[in-house]
Structures are given as structure tokens and as C-alpha cells.
Amino acid sequence: MLIPENYFEKVYAGFLGKCIGIRLGAPVEPALWNMDRIEKVYGFIDRYVKPYKTFAADDDSNGPAYFIRALIDDARDGELSPEDVAKAWLNYAREGVGMFWWGGYGISTEHTAYLNLRNGIKAPDSGSIRTNGEIIAQQIGGQIFIDTFGLVNPSDPEKAARYGEIAASVSHDGEGLNGARFFCAAISKAFDTSDLNEIIETGLSLIDSNSDYYRVARAVKAYHDEHPDDWRGCMRMLYRDWNSSKYPGNCHIIPNAGVCFLALYYGDGDYTQTIEIACSCGEDTDCNAGNVATVLAVANGIECIPEKYRTPVNDQIVLSGISGYLNILDIPSFSKELCHLGYKLKGIEIPPEFRDLKLGSLFFDFELPGSTHGFKASDECLCQIRHGNDPENAENGTLEIIYSQFYRGQVCRIFNKPFFVRSDFSDERYMPAFSPKVVSGQTVSFRLYNDQWTGLDDLGINGYVHTINGTKLIASYNKPKRGQWTEITFTVPDTSGEIIDEVGFEMEGLTKKADRCRGLLYIDDFHVYGKGKYKIDFSKSHTDFGSLIPLVHTDVSWRKIGKEIENLRCRSAFSFTGNYYSAYSSIALNVRPGSGEQHLLALRAKGICRGYYLGFDGKDNVSVLKNDFGITQLAKAYFRWEYGRTYRMKAVAENDSISLFIDGQEIISVKDDAFDYGMVGFGSTTLGRTYFSDAEIETDTGERKDYEKQI
């Protein structure tokens, strides 16, 4: 069972295709949107019915992107266990915020499973029928979070089905596990064939033939065989025979499985038709369209996805886990990570193009067909962005910019967004929160080729960054020569504590109005990397999606009071920020204890349940603590501290050394190599109140390449 030659492209197609299906179905997801109402209001869903500025986070993408990290963090030798996936749930989900629907214990399957885990019920009992009953255990989540487990197991349906079942068992049981097995197996088989019947039969062969999941598939096929042109009639059959009154709960898997099979059969192997039918049927439209989209996109490849659906997604989605850095997801880069896992799981040597993942930096090479890596133009009349090919070597992909009408005073920005604020979104789905992916001190480099057709003077190219408070900082000035590649490099300037939300370059006309510039610009190998050193001025922070930017909070009280942030808590509470992959990192803050016994900084936090904590820990005591799904004290030292007094605390992680400085003096240092990268942050594991201000952060992105330690 080898890796397909076009594995990378198919994984990219599969995950991008899923994201498109989710976005297409989201506006008509609520249960009130049945088939007839959708038809009355929108007709057949053959376009995005809402023009989202940026599509907000969704549970259907949160789960596949975060739960697959069980293979990175905990699975060993390629063997996945329910407990591995359960740790991903606890480590990356902020209780009550984002990730999935927090509808209450005994109401939301995921919320129920999460609270079971928090209260000591191990997976898979956390999601079992024995623990939660048949209704809760068999809702739709069993199949909507598992697509990536199929993508990392190409051409091996049996293993893909097993991984899907393991992942789903944290929260589901019974028919929920059948759904996970079916879709993971179907995705895996789609790497080998585009024959829809073969794909479906392979998936069905790996589930219980006495199950309702299997039976609803056969019922849909039988109706389709008799009425091959009447998908609406088939949907009415599902309303009659497989409806939610027979399968109760908030979103049972069986009625939705029926819609998935309807879309697959009546879509007849066509990606676009399949997702459009899935959305036009009603039921849980974003879930169903997302699942069938992954299968069809893998089977047919990236060329099957039309531009009308690709362009608004623009290769970028956002998530809502605990890491603000990981929450900004570049689809091509994530696809490469999935491919890396696929090779590792099969025990096959990783090809050179997959070894260098450049984790911890932004790297956009535009090699995948049609890829844009989220780049935008500030003025689409002056500049249109599309994927292109190197003018000197057509086999290499680039970003192509068509520009026209440029004269002196005309400016257009070409940029990537490394940070988002609430105003970038049209809605508040699943409450995303973000950490900056580009910071002061880092290096920006890219290659540029100017194929300028008109204009006596050359086009001006100015590297720049822009902040959320509206400040634009020009960092370099260039006049690239026509007809050749030019390397442009600049250092990200000091933003005085403001958060960067655009990085890129300005195109500036330098000619007279009568002598306008027109032509094509090609961009390749856009890279942001290296050490960053920056401040966070909390007086400039505001609350977006429930978190003070640029922090991601756990779910207790954090509020801004002047220049300080107050944390009032009755249990463990932290705010995290920074580069998730930072190996070297330091965080310095003013810390003013208000009440309680703990006031801590965090280093190398790999989530809520993993990281180092340093600071005041009991009367006249400082500690270095390690959290690895349980707190261990690594070291302690005497230090007399007082309530109401402000201390300048600095925590530093370098190689295997973890150190704490207070008011400029090193107080305690230990060596530990359990965690070699992670976020920074601050908070406490116990009840109390603390005030924090004037943050200074240093990170070395490291461009991590050592996945050899993982899997």
C-alpha cells in the first residue's frame, strides 16, 4: 500500500474541498432550513448564498485540524489510542468557548464527552452508549471531525476506518462509529480510484451490515436506482422513513447519513453537484457537504473544484482552539503537514519536498495548483491576484498579479493577513481568537519578477507591515528591474506594541499619469522567519470574540483595567499567546499579586495541559512547575513576595534550561527537556487575583524540521 504519486495535491484538494463544503452549507445549517424552505428562499444552492468577509471558525474544521494532533503529541509508532485523541480534546479545547457546540451536559454530545473526560472518565467510556445513552452517543459528530484521519491513511481503508473509529470513540458510539469508519475508509479509497460505487462499497464493507447506517445507505441506493433523476423525491423518502422523530437528539447521525448517501449517488461523482445537492437537502448542511466534499475532492483532484468556490476561501481558514497561532491556518501548509504524517504512518521515507515543513514561520511557495496562500490586494481594480507560473520555468508555481493604470500616487497593497480582528468577520461562529504570526524583528523575504509592458519608469515596490490600529510602516524601498527575478528582504520594524495584521508590499506608480504602468508581477517563496522581539501594550487591547487581543484565554474572568489586565479566577486559568513552535522564548511582565497563592508566567505551553509555569507559588516561595496532564514541581526557591507590590518577572526557555528572573535577578533555574517548543503566557493553577501589564516577548521561530521525534 504505497503513497500515491499525487498525494500532496489530493490531500490539498480534500481539505480545501471540505472547507468549501462547510462554507457552502453554513448559512442554511439550522434545522428550520428544510429542503422546501431552502428551495423557496434560495432555489438550488449553486453558489455561496452569503458573501462572508472572512468565514469564521467552524466545528467541522476545528476538529479535523486539532484532533489530528494526537498523532503528533501522543501516538507512538503510528499506533493511535482513544486516550491519545482524548488528550487532544483536553489540551486544545477551551471549555465553553469555540471548538464545538457547548450546548450543555446531556444535550451536546461533545460537551458531554468533554465533561466526562474532565471528571475522570477515560476514553472511550467518555463517549460510550453505556455512559451517555444511545441518543447522545449517536449524534452527527462521529463523522464530522475525522476526515484528516482518512487523509493521512491513503490507500489503506481498513486502517483509515480503524483510526476514524478510535478518534470518534472519545465522544460517540454505535452508529456514530459507523459514520466515522465509513467516511475515513471512503476518503482513503478515493486516493486509488474516482469510481464512486467502488468508493462507497469499500466504505460500507467496513461497517456493520446490520446497522441502520448501512441500511439507510441501501435505502438511498435502491431509491436512486429506481428514480435516478429525482433527488428531491429521495429526500422526501428520507423525511418519511429516516426522520429525526425516529432518530431523536439535536442532530442524529442517521438522517444526515441518508443525506450524505443521497448527495453521493445523485451527485454521480461530480464534486460540485454533490456538495450543492447536500446543501439543498437541508438537515446539517455544513457537516454533510463537508464530509462528501472531502471524498469527491480526493477522488477527482484539485481540478474538480471550481474557481467560484475556491476564490472566496483563498487558501486560508481560521480555527478556535487554544493556540492563536495555530488558529490561523494556511491550507497548503497544513496539507503538507498531513502528507508528512501520511508518510510517517506508512513507514516510508519522506521525500525531500516534505521534510522541510518550516513550522514556526510563514512560507508560501505557490507550488500547488491554483494556490494563493491567502494573499489579497487592497484595490482589485488596480490589481487582480491569481495563481501563475514562473515566466522562466513554467513548472514552478507563483503568485501572479495583473496590474494596470499605475501612475504617480496610485498605490495597491499585496498582503497576507497574519492576524484577524472581529471586524474582519461577518459572524461569530465558534469564537476564534488569535496570536500574531508576524512580529517585530523578524525577516521578510520574497522573490519578485516584473514583466512590465508600459510605463517609462519602473514600478516601485515597498515592503511594509500594517497594524490593527491603522499604522502602516514602510520597511524597504525597491525598483526591481524588468524581466528578471529580484530578491527583496526587509526586517519587520518595531510597532511600539501594536499588533501586525498585514505583511507584504506596496506597488507604487512612479510615472506621469499619461504614461501608466501595466504588466504582470510574479511573486515566489514569500517567507517570514527568524527571531522576533516585540511588546504588547495592553492599554491598546480590546476584547474580540471574548478574548483580549492578542491573547487566547481559558474561560474565566480577564478584563482590562487601564494598562493592566486583571485575572480573577476560581480555578486554573491562563492566557496564551506567541508562536506555537517557538523553541527559544522569553516573556517579561509586570506582575502585581492581588489575592491567592499563585501568580505565574508560562513557557513552552503546548496547550492547556502541557507547559512550564514559573513564579510565585505559596508564601515566600517561587517554583518551576511542569504541567503534563498533571502538575509536578520541578524546583522551588525562597523569595519573599507581597500582595499589592508590582514585580518585573521574566521567564526564559533556551535549549533545556528554564529560568525565572525577578526585578533583573535570576531566582531559579532548572533543566528539563520534556517540552522543546510552545506558546508563552501567564496565569495561575489556583484561585486568586493577579494584575499583569507591559508584556515583552522574544521568540525564535526555529523553523522546526524535526518531526522525526514524533509519530
Side-chain angles (χ1 to χ4, degrees), residues 112-127:
T112 301
Y114 179 89
L115 290 176
N116 286 342
L117 294 170
R118 280 287 300 266
N119 285 282
I121 298 176
K122 301 292 186 182
D125 285 344
S126 54

Side-chain angles (χ1 to χ4, degrees), residues 74 126 158 192 206 215 244 295 306 346 397-398 443 468 474 529 547 554 590 641 659:
D74 289 290
S126 54
E158 291 85 359
D192 296 335
L206 292 168
R215 284 194 285 265
S244 296
V295 176
K346 284 191 180 292
T398 64
T443 299
I468 62 173
I474 300 295
Y529 61 96
S547 286
T554 52
N590 291 337
W641 57 273
S659 305

Side-chain angles (χ1 to χ4, degrees), residues 528-593:
V528 185
Y529 61 96
K531 276 193 172 184
K533 184 176 182 179
Y534 60 104
K535 299 177 182 179
I536 302 175
D537 184 348
F538 293 140
S539 69
K540 298 177 181 179
S541 293
H542 63 273
T543 299
D544 271 355
F545 296 114
S547 286
L548 282 160
I549 59 172
L551 307 170
V552 184
H553 308 313
T554 52
D555 64 322
V556 290
S557 174
W558 298 86
R559 75 184 81 185
K560 185 177 75 169
I561 303 177
K563 293 184 177 181
E564 294 182 310
I565 289 179
E566 179 194 61
N567 172 221
L568 178 64
R569 60 201 175 265
C570 60
R571 57 179 177 176
S572 180
F574 281 87
S575 281
F576 297 110
T577 191
N579 191 314
Y580 185 83
Y581 293 106
S582 183
Y584 170 84
S585 59
S586 74
I587 178 169
L589 284 159
N590 291 337
V591 179
R592 181 163 65 92

Side-chain angles (χ1 to χ4, degrees), residues 59-78:
D59 58 339
D60 296 83
S61 47
N62 282 328
Y66 269 108
F67 300 157
I68 195 70
R69 298 192 68 82
L71 289 170
I72 299 168
D73 297 342
D74 289 290
R76 291 295 177 262
D77 301 319

Side-chain angles (χ1 to χ4, degrees), residues 69-360:
R69 298 192 68 82
L71 289 170
I72 299 168
D73 297 342
D74 289 290
R76 291 295 177 262
D77 301 319
E79 289 303 317
L80 185 69
S81 73
E83 185 62 22
D84 296 334
V85 184
K87 285 183 176 180
W89 278 61
L90 293 171
N91 197 38
Y92 294 112
R94 298 174 287 156
E95 183 174 351
V97 183
M99 193 61 79
F100 38 69
W101 178 50
W102 300 89
Y105 193 82
I107 301 171
S108 160
T109 301
E110 290 74 31
H111 196 170
T112 301
Y114 179 89
L115 290 176
N116 286 342
L117 294 170
R118 280 287 300 266
N119 285 282
I121 298 176
K122 301 292 186 182
D125 285 344
S126 54
S128 68
I129 289 173
R130 181 179 65 182
T131 301
N132 302 324
E134 291 189 358
I135 293 175
I136 286 293
Q138 298 185 113
Q139 302 301 304
I140 197 172
Q143 68 189 24
I144 70 172
F145 301 143
I146 48 71
D147 303 66
T148 44
F149 290 97
L151 293 174
V152 300
N153 284 293
S155 307
D156 193 348
E158 291 85 359
K159 187 174 182 181
R162 178 163 58 85
Y163 271 40
E165 178 178 359
I166 289 168
S169 70
V170 174
S171 52
H172 290 76
D173 199 355
E175 300 292 358
L177 302 187
N178 284 324
R181 288 183 64 85
F182 172 81
F183 269 106
C184 279
I187 292 165
S188 180
K189 186 62 180 178
F191 283 98
D192 296 335
T193 180
S194 60
D195 185 317
L196 181 65
N197 189 63
E198 188 176 352
I199 291 169
I200 292 174
E201 290 303 315
T202 297
L204 290 175
S205 73
L206 292 168
I207 69 171
D208 180 3
S209 61
N210 292 316
S211 66
D212 282 357
Y213 201 98
Y214 187 94
R215 284 194 285 265
V216 75
R218 291 305 185 207
V220 170
K221 185 177 188 307
Y223 192 95
H224 172 266
D225 289 346
E226 289 189 21
H227 310 280
D229 300 317
D230 187 12
W231 68 265
R232 292 186 186 279
C234 188
M235 189 63 209
R236 291 189 180 92
M237 179 273 293
L238 291 174
Y239 281 144
R240 184 189 69 223
D241 298 339
W242 305 88
N243 59 62
S244 296
S245 64
K246 297 181 180 179
Y247 297 95
N250 282 284
C251 195
H252 200 284
I253 197 169
I254 294 303
N256 288 285
V259 173
C260 289
F261 286 110
L262 184 158
L264 288 170
Y265 282 118
Y266 283 92
D268 197 27
D270 181 87
Y271 171 85
T272 303
Q273 186 173 329
T274 300
I275 63 171
E276 291 174 351
I277 290 174
C279 292
S280 298
C281 282
E283 297 291 344
D284 202 333
T285 45
D286 61 339
C287 297
N288 298 332
N291 276 140
V292 298
T294 310
V295 176
L296 269 297
V298 171
N300 296 318
I302 196 66
E303 62 275 8
C304 78
I305 304 177
E307 284 302 313
K308 69 175 181 178
Y309 290 139
R310 288 190 72 174
T311 299
V313 173
N314 198 26
D315 272 349
Q316 193 173 52
I317 63 167
V318 300
L319 309 171
S320 54
I322 192 61
S323 169
Y325 188 91
L326 297 178
N327 282 345
I328 302 172
L329 187 146
D330 174 63
I331 294 175
S333 300
F334 181 63
S335 299
K336 183 176 283 190
E337 292 185 61
L338 293 176
C339 286
H340 198 285
L341 291 171
Y343 278 99
K344 294 285 285 182
L345 288 172
K346 284 191 180 292
I348 298 174
E349 183 177 356
I350 300 167
E353 63 266 29
F354 295 120
R355 290 176 191 161
D356 187 0
L357 293 175
K358 289 185 168 58
L359 297 176

Side-chain angles (χ1 to χ4, degrees), residues 328-638:
I328 302 172
L329 187 146
D330 174 63
I331 294 175
S333 300
F334 181 63
S335 299
K336 183 176 283 190
E337 292 185 61
L338 293 176
C339 286
H340 198 285
L341 291 171
Y343 278 99
K344 294 285 285 182
L345 288 172
K346 284 191 180 292
I348 298 174
E349 183 177 356
I350 300 167
E353 63 266 29
F354 295 120
R355 290 176 191 161
D356 187 0
L357 293 175
K358 289 185 168 58
L359 297 176
S361 71
L362 303 185
F363 181 69
F364 309 131
D365 60 11
F366 310 102
E367 288 303 314
L368 285 163
S371 59
T372 58
H373 291 279
F375 275 82
K376 298 182 177 182
S378 62
D379 188 332
E380 294 183 355
C381 288
L382 288 175
C383 297
Q384 294 84 50
I385 290 178
R386 67 185 185 187
H387 183 267
N389 295 102
D390 186 331
E392 295 183 345
N393 182 357
E395 293 184 1
N396 294 334
T398 64
L399 187 72
E400 183 179 285
I401 300 146
I402 308 162
Y403 64 91
S404 60
Q405 307 301 322
F406 270 95
Y407 53 87
R408 188 172 299 279
Q410 296 282 76
V411 172
C412 183
R413 305 190 314 277
I414 307 299
F415 61 92
N416 180 269
K417 283 191 68 63
F419 193 85
F420 292 89
V421 294
R422 174 64 185 86
S423 59
D424 291 318
F425 298 90
S426 304
D427 64 356
E428 300 200 8
R429 295 173 66 84
Y430 293 96
M431 303 291 282
F434 308 106
S435 300
K437 300 196 83 164
V438 173
V439 298
S440 300
Q442 289 188 292
T443 299
V444 180
S445 69
F446 57 93
R447 299 169 62 236
L448 180 148
Y449 186 102
N450 184 15
D451 180 13
Q452 188 170 327
W453 307 330
T454 64
L456 294 176
D457 207 341
D458 292 328
L459 196 68
I461 301 293
N462 306 317
Y464 86 99
V465 295
H466 179 276
T467 74
I468 62 173
N469 295 318
T471 303
K472 183 177 70 176
L473 299 171
I474 300 295
S476 69
Y477 299 87
N478 306 272
K479 287 181 67 176
K481 293 182 179 180
R482 308 183 198 193
Q484 65 183 49
W485 283 101
T486 302
E487 183 85 23
I488 295 178
T489 302
F490 63 88
T491 300
V492 178
D494 184 359
T495 64
S496 301
E498 296 185 16
I499 305 303
I500 294 168
D501 70 341
E502 291 181 15
V503 60
F505 59 90
E506 282 188 339
M507 301 170 61
E508 180 182 9
L510 302 176
T511 66
K512 295 179 180 179
K513 189 171 183 179
D515 181 36
R516 304 184 186 200
C517 296
R518 298 175 178 86
L520 294 174
L521 204 64
Y522 300 88
I523 309 301
D524 201 8
D525 296 339
F526 190 96
H527 197 185
V528 185
Y529 61 96
K531 276 193 172 184
K533 184 176 182 179
Y534 60 104
K535 299 177 182 179
I536 302 175
D537 184 348
F538 293 140
S539 69
K540 298 177 181 179
S541 293
H542 63 273
T543 299
D544 271 355
F545 296 114
S547 286
L548 282 160
I549 59 172
L551 307 170
V552 184
H553 308 313
T554 52
D555 64 322
V556 290
S557 174
W558 298 86
R559 75 184 81 185
K560 185 177 75 169
I561 303 177
K563 293 184 177 181
E564 294 182 310
I565 289 179
E566 179 194 61
N567 172 221
L568 178 64
R569 60 201 175 265
C570 60
R571 57 179 177 176
S572 180
F574 281 87
S575 281
F576 297 110
T577 191
N579 191 314
Y580 185 83
Y581 293 106
S582 183
Y584 170 84
S585 59
S586 74
I587 178 169
L589 284 159
N590 291 337
V591 179
R592 181 163 65 92
S595 64
E597 295 296 302
Q598 267 192 356
H599 312 274
L600 304 170
L601 306 185
L603 290 171
R604 290 182 178 168
K606 298 180 74 173
I608 295 170
C609 302
R610 286 193 165 112
Y612 298 109
Y613 307 148
L614 304 87
F616 302 146
D617 182 29
K619 180 177 172 58
D620 298 336
N621 188 63
V622 294
S623 293
V624 179
L625 307 174
K626 179 169 69 174
N627 184 7
D628 192 0
F629 289 86
I631 303 294
T632 302
Q633 186 182 65
L634 298 180
K636 67 177 181 178
Y638 175 83

